Amino acid sequence: MEIIDDYIYSKTLQLDLDVMKSSVYTLYDLAMKNFYTPKQPEQNRQHFARHNLLLYPFPGFHELYTEIRNFFHEVVKPEEPYYIQCWHNVYKYGDFNEWHRHWMPAAKSWHGFYCVDVEPNSATLYKVPPNMEDKDIITINSMNNLLVLGKSDG
């Protein structure tokens, strides 16, 4: 496990990337056919509002859930019930998420990502609290099979 500023935690998994890639694209096709319209193509790659990937019985998804749960227990050691929501973003070369924030500290929320088919040249940038200024940016270079958890505090 790698820890950055007691804020970002990462580890490399050993999941079958061919299986994961196939399942993610199968779910992507299913979501595109059932949840989205061609009138909003810019929103079609981000599916979080429509479904939880971990509820679909595609190969590899249960193994991913187990890895996320185990890593969360290792990092956070939760004492209260919690839930995990997982969605997938499918990007073409050059696409990216706009800069955004997550939950405030009072929510005791965490966020993260798992990488499938991201190499080469992919990264996620974090502004680390409390200042969250451009000088505080940390770059996480995306690698296939990388699982990252981070505190959601702003």
Side-chain angles (χ1 to χ4, degrees), residues 23-112:
S23 290
V24 166
Y25 282 117
T26 298
L27 181 55
Y28 177 79
D29 291 341
L30 178 72
M32 292 300 288
K33 289 176 186 171
N34 292 287
F35 300 136
Y36 300 96
T37 65
K39 294 178 183 178
Q40 299 175 325
E42 69 283 353
Q43 296 174 4
N44 284 343
R45 286 187 222 90
Q46 298 178 10
H47 304 295
F48 70 93
R50 307 284 186 186
H51 65 274
N52 186 342
L53 176 140
L54 298 173
L55 297 177
Y56 288 81
F58 294 133
F61 287 178
H62 180 72
E63 290 81 0
L64 177 59
Y65 160 75
T66 301
E67 292 284 357
I68 293 169
R69 182 197 63 209
N70 292 347
F71 193 39
F72 185 71
H73 282 234
E74 182 181 342
V75 170
V76 180
K77 299 174 181 49
E79 296 179 8
E80 300 175 11
Y82 64 93
Y83 72 93
I84 299 173
Q85 177 161 352
C86 181
W87 60 89
H88 64 291
N89 294 328
V90 176
Y91 296 106
K92 295 179 182 171
Y93 184 80
D95 286 349
F96 59 92
N97 268 342
E98 294 294 329
W99 194 265
H100 62 279
R101 294 177 178 255
H102 292 102
W103 297 90
M104 298 307 291
K108 299 179 186 176
S109 180
W110 287 71
H111 67 276

Side-chain angles (χ1 to χ4, degrees), residues 136-154:
D136 299 317
I137 291 177
I138 293 175
T139 301
I140 305 295
N141 292 314
S142 299
M143 300 176 303
N144 292 332
N145 253 327
L146 179 69
L147 176 62
V148 176
L149 293 176
K151 295 178 182 178
S152 287
D153 51 5

Side-chain angles (χ1 to χ4, degrees), residues 127-133 136 153:
K127 289 184 181 179
V128 178
N131 300 329
M132 293 179 64
E133 297 186 18
D136 299 317
D153 51 5

